[in-house]
Amino acid sequence: MRRLSISLFALLLIVGACAPGTNASMAGGEAEVLTAVQLEPFAGGTLYDAIQTERRQWLRAQFEDPVKVWLNGRELGGTGELRNVLVSGVIEVRYLEPRMAMAEYGVGHTSGAIVVTTR
């Protein structure tokens, strides 16, 4: 049984390392965060449009599950809900890769999460 657990753990590590969207550009700080200053050019629009322009890869589902959106600590839904969030009230937007999203918010985040903080 212990040998099976170790093998399963090793397999999960390998699969996680090969998952799309975990390249070096996503590992750095700037690729994971959009600040209010970075969002200023989009002040009259929606957060979906800003992310579509600045971090398009955040919107792409990697598996069958959609990228989930969290707004001020509450699950909002899928990325389409970002069309209802105005950029003018946003302080920060953070993308969590699947492993981090599942650690923070639990199962069902196999495509990651977009975490929005507003005023």
Side-chain angles (χ1 to χ4, degrees):
M1 181 68 162
R2 183 170 169 86
R3 184 177 281 165
L4 177 62
S5 296
I6 292 171
S7 298
L8 181 59
F9 179 73
L11 178 63
L12 288 174
L13 284 176
I14 292 168
V15 169
C18 296
T22 57
N23 60 29
S25 68
M26 292 301 290
E30 284 189 42
E32 296 177 342
V33 177
L34 284 172
T35 65
V37 172
Q38 292 170 301
L39 293 169
E40 280 179 4
F42 306 96
T46 69
L47 190 53
Y48 185 92
D49 294 332
I51 293 173
Q52 178 77 14
T53 301
E54 294 295 312
R55 300 288 194 280
R56 181 180 305 243
Q57 70 275 15
W58 289 6
L59 301 172
R60 289 192 201 117
Q62 296 177 13
F63 301 99
E64 291 181 25
D65 290 327
V67 176
K68 297 207 175 155
V69 176
W70 289 77
L71 178 67
N72 298 325
R74 302 182 112 194
E75 187 173 353
L76 192 60
T79 57
E81 295 297 325
L82 294 168
R83 289 183 171 98
N84 300 319
V85 179
L86 297 177
V87 169
S88 58
V90 175
I91 296 170
E92 178 183 271
V93 183
R94 181 176 300 273
Y95 174 78
L96 298 178
E97 65 179 18
R99 286 179 292 204
M100 296 297 293
M102 286 189 279
E104 183 75 21
Y105 298 109
V107 296
H109 289 81
T110 55
S111 289
I114 296 174
V115 181
V116 182
T117 306
T118 61
R119 293 183 179 99

